[in-house]
């Protein structure tokens, strides 16, 4: 009985140590979410104005540009999948990877071969474990990306897209941050560029003149547009990762508390049973001594 009590106490100490770790990770993620949300909000005005500029150039210049012209017979597609470097974030990484697999299946059903570009160790490990080819990978910054990371990724993807033997389409898979409890993995096509004009009131459209030419303006603006979209996707994914990790660690902390309560009840029951057994042994011994003394008389 004493051995059973020691086992319960050892398990309680172990769960308490785990609870301290999960609670610390929960607090760290909670503090980082605020900063990640602020960075997403700060990047939005730039992305919106850049989108407006690209819309104006692509709509009014009437210029056939490689980044805005679709290939009538596409053969290859590049897919950028943004996951995470670390785990303990629930199903965050697996959901993004699963969305990437669904997109890959859809593209292959259209007869396209797919090149995969990966962000995050979780995605890289997933593809390497399954012996899948990786066209490019970046790790080490998923929870705190910078614009330089986005620029590096955009440059590699643009080189692939502009290569005559490269990809005809470029897609991105990332996790969109909706709120602290809602993060949705989504897939979007980035290239050829799909310019969607926002609904505005009916007004007289302005006349545009592009210098030195509309094509050169697109050469300068469109790469920045791709960089901003990738940067925004990295920031959205980082905020989603922190939110998912905070939720997962809070659930783990709550489960640890419940397990500690359950083990404490079992330990108390084992201790009570041990005390009861000791009392029974003492009473039994006293009765045996009394009986022995009566027999001697």
């Amino acid at each position: 009985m004493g051995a059973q009590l020691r086992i319960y106490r050892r398990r309680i100490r172990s769960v308490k140590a785990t609870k301290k770790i999960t609670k610390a990770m929960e607090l760290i993620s909670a503090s980082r979410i605020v900063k990640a949300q602020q960075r997403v909000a700060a990047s939005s005005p730039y992305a919106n104005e850049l989108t407006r500029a690209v819309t104006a150039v692509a709509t009014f210049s009437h210029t056939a540009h490689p980044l805005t012209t679709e290939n009538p017979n596409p053969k290859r597609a590049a897919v950028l999948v943004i996951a995470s470097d670390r785990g303990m974030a629930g199903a965050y990484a697996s959901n993004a990877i699963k969305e990437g697999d669904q997109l890959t299946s859809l593209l292959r059903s259209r007869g396209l071969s797919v090149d995969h570009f990966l962000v995050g160790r979780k995605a890289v490990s997933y593809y390497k474990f399954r012996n899948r080819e990786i066209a490019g990978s970046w790790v080490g910054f998923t929870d705190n990306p910078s614009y330089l990371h986005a620029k590096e990724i955009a440059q590699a993807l643009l080189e692939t897209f502009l290569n005559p033997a490269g990809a005809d389409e470029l897609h991105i898979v990332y996790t969109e941050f909706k709120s602290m409890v809602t993060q949705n993995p989504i897939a979007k096509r980035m290239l050829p560029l799909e310019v969607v004009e926002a609904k505005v009131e009916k007004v007289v459209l302005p006349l545009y003149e592009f210098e030195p030419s509309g094509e050169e303006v697109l050469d300068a603006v469109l790469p920045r547009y791709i960089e901003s979209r990738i940067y925004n996707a990295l920031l959205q994914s980082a905020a989603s990762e922190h939110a998912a990790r905070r939720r997962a660690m809070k659930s783990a902390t709550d489960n640890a508390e419940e397990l500690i309560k359950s083990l404490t009840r079992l330990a108390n029951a084992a201790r009570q049973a041990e005390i009861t057994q000791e009392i029974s042994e003492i009473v039994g011994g006293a009765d045996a001594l009394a009986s022995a003394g009566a027999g001697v008389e």
Side-chain angles (χ1 to χ4, degrees):
M1 189 62 68
Q4 187 69 24
L5 181 60
R6 286 194 296 271
I7 292 174
Y8 286 138
R9 288 176 175 173
R10 185 163 56 246
R11 290 188 62 188
I12 289 173
R13 289 194 299 268
S14 176
V15 175
K16 284 183 177 179
T18 303
K19 177 187 171 183
K20 290 181 180 179
I21 296 173
T22 57
K23 185 64 177 179
M25 294 185 66
E26 176 190 349
L27 296 176
I28 292 172
S29 296
S31 65
R32 290 179 176 176
I33 289 174
V34 177
K35 183 179 179 180
Q37 286 180 291
Q38 291 174 348
R39 296 182 69 189
V40 172
S43 68
S44 297
Y46 174 78
N48 293 337
E49 291 300 322
L50 196 54
T51 301
R52 187 176 303 174
V54 171
T55 301
V57 178
T59 303
F60 299 108
S61 67
H62 305 292
T63 301
H65 194 274
L67 299 184
T68 59
T69 304
E70 291 193 34
N71 188 337
N73 297 309
K75 296 181 180 180
R76 300 185 69 85
V79 176
L80 174 64
V81 179
I82 301 176
S84 62
D85 287 319
R86 298 185 296 128
M88 303 186 79
Y92 163 76
S94 61
N95 287 340
I97 295 172
K98 186 184 299 183
E99 186 72 18
D101 287 344
Q102 293 176 355
L103 175 60
T104 300
S105 299
L106 178 62
L107 293 173
R108 286 175 176 168
S109 67
R110 293 171 48 199
L112 277 68
S113 58
V114 182
D115 297 328
H116 292 99
F117 295 82
L118 309 176
V119 176
R121 291 189 178 91
K122 288 295 180 179
V124 173
S125 299
Y126 179 88
Y127 277 72
K128 285 185 176 180
F129 181 77
R130 288 159 179 78
N131 296 320
R132 298 182 182 179
E133 293 186 4
I134 301 174
S137 62
W138 298 267
V139 299
F141 57 84
T142 59
D143 59 345
N144 188 28
S146 68
Y147 193 83
L148 292 177
H149 296 132
K151 188 173 183 179
E152 180 182 350
I153 297 171
Q155 183 177 357
L157 295 177
L158 285 173
E159 288 177 357
T160 299
F161 185 79
L162 295 176
N163 188 342
D168 300 307
E169 295 182 4
L170 176 58
H171 300 259
I172 183 172
V173 177
Y174 67 98
T175 306
E176 185 179 25
F177 181 85
K178 290 288 188 180
S179 66
M180 296 290 289
V181 296
T182 305
Q183 302 89 38
N184 300 322
I186 60 175
K188 291 183 178 180
R189 194 183 84 175
M190 288 198 300
L191 294 175
L193 186 65
E194 293 179 321
V195 179
V196 181
E197 297 187 42
K199 295 181 179 180
V200 296
E201 297 180 0
K202 294 182 178 180
V203 296
V204 178
L205 295 177
L207 297 177
Y208 288 90
E209 292 184 4
F210 302 101
E211 295 181 358
S213 67
E215 184 175 358
E216 293 188 40
V217 173
L218 285 174
D219 285 338
V221 175
L222 281 174
R224 302 294 180 271
Y225 176 76
I226 299 303
E227 291 172 7
S228 69
R229 288 194 62 175
I230 293 177
Y231 182 51
N232 185 262
L234 290 173
L235 293 178
Q236 295 252 13
S237 297
S240 299
E241 179 183 349
H242 291 311
R245 182 169 291 111
R246 175 186 176 276
R247 189 167 60 251
M249 292 300 98
K250 185 179 186 308
S251 178
T253 301
D254 294 341
N255 291 338
E257 290 178 353
E258 291 298 323
L259 184 57
I260 290 172
K261 291 179 181 178
S262 177
L263 291 173
T264 300
R265 286 194 294 267
L266 292 174
N268 292 338
R271 176 60 179 161
Q272 186 64 40
E274 183 178 348
I275 293 173
T276 302
Q277 182 177 355
E278 290 176 355
I279 294 175
S280 299
E281 291 175 353
I282 293 173
V283 172
D287 290 342
L289 291 175
S291 301
V296 171
E297 291 177 357

